[in-house]
C-alpha cells in the first residue's frame, strides 16, 4: 500500500509529463515491490520557485530546477534489495519517459508498520495480515 507524493517546481512539467511521472512510479512499484493492480494513491504538488528549496550539490549530486522529489510511504515489509531496485527503476523510467536526469530524481522512502494504515471505512485493513501479503 504505497502512498506517493511528488513535488515539483511550479510550471516545470506539463500535465502529460506529470501523468507520466505518476505512471512510471506506479509501474516501478508494481515491478519491484509487487504492488497489486489498483493499489494507486498518488498526488502531485507544484511548488512556487521561492518555496522549492533543495541542496543543489548535496552528496556530490548536481541537481537542477527540473528536480522531482518523490516521497513514498510504504509498509515496512521490503528488503534492501527491493528498495535498491525500486530506486533504480524509478530513475530509469523517469529518464526514459519524461526526460528527467537521474540526478534530478530524489526519493524518500518512509516505512510504517502494517497497523498504521486505514484504507477507508475507519478500519485497519492490514492489522491482521501477514507482511508477505501486503
Amino acid at each position: 500500500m504505497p502512498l506517493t507524493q511528488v513535488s515539483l517546481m511550479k510550471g516545470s512539467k506539463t500535465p502529460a509529463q506529470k501523468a507520466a511521472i505518476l505512471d512510471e512510479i506506479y509501474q516501478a512499484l508494481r515491478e519491484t515491490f509487487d504492488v497489486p493492480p489498483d493499489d494507486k494513491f498518488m498526488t502531485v504538488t507544484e511548488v512556487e520557485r521561492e518555496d522549492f528549496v533543495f541542496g543543489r550539490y548535496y552528496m556530490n549530486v548536481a541537481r537542477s530546477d527540473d528536480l522531482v522529489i518523490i516521497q513514498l510511504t510504504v509498509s515496512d515489509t521490503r528488503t534492501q534489495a527491493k528498495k535498491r531496485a525500486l530506486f533504480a527503476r524509478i530513475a530509469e523510467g523517469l529518464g526514459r519517459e519524461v526526460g528527467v536526469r537521474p540526478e534530478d530524481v530524489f526519493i524518500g522512502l518512509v516505512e510504517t508498520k502494517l497497523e498504521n494504515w486505514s484504507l477507508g471505512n475507519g478500519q485497519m485493513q492490514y492489522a491482521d495480515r501477514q507482511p508477505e501479503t501486503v
Side-chain angles (χ1 to χ4, degrees):
M1 170 62 225
L3 174 60
T4 303
Q5 298 168 302
V6 177
S7 298
L8 313 163
M9 188 177 299
K10 189 171 184 175
S12 67
K13 301 288 181 285
T14 67
Q17 288 173 314
K18 290 186 281 187
I21 288 169
L22 294 181
D23 187 56
E24 280 304 309
I25 294 169
Y26 177 67
Q27 291 306 320
L29 287 163
R30 298 255 308 128
E31 293 171 18
T32 63
F33 267 30
D34 304 315
V35 169
D38 202 35
D39 190 350
K40 193 174 193 180
F41 299 88
M42 312 175 101
T43 62
V44 173
T45 301
E46 291 189 280
V47 182
E48 295 289 342
R49 176 181 294 274
E50 62 270 13
D51 297 324
F52 196 68
V53 179
F54 57 92
R56 289 205 179 262
Y57 301 102
Y58 182 68
M59 299 293 292
N60 295 316
V61 177
R63 295 170 193 83
S64 74
D65 286 348
D66 200 34
L67 182 66
V68 177
I69 298 175
I70 302 164
Q71 181 173 325
L72 300 167
T73 305
V74 301
S75 299
D76 61 351
T77 59
R78 275 65 173 220
T79 65
Q80 185 175 352
K82 284 191 174 202
K83 294 172 198 177
R84 193 178 303 273
L86 174 68
F87 296 161
R89 171 58 179 83
I90 290 173
E92 183 272 326
L94 295 187
R96 182 185 67 246
E97 297 299 324
V98 188
V100 177
R101 300 174 322 127
E103 296 90 344
D104 287 323
V105 178
F106 182 99
I107 305 168
L109 188 68
V110 179
E111 294 180 302
T112 185
K113 294 180 184 210
L114 292 172
E115 72 250 19
N116 292 339
W117 294 97
S118 175
L119 309 179
N121 297 322
Q123 298 175 355
M124 295 172 61
Q125 287 87 346
Y126 289 152
D128 298 322
R129 294 177 74 180
Q130 298 299 316
E132 64 272 2
T133 65
V134 180

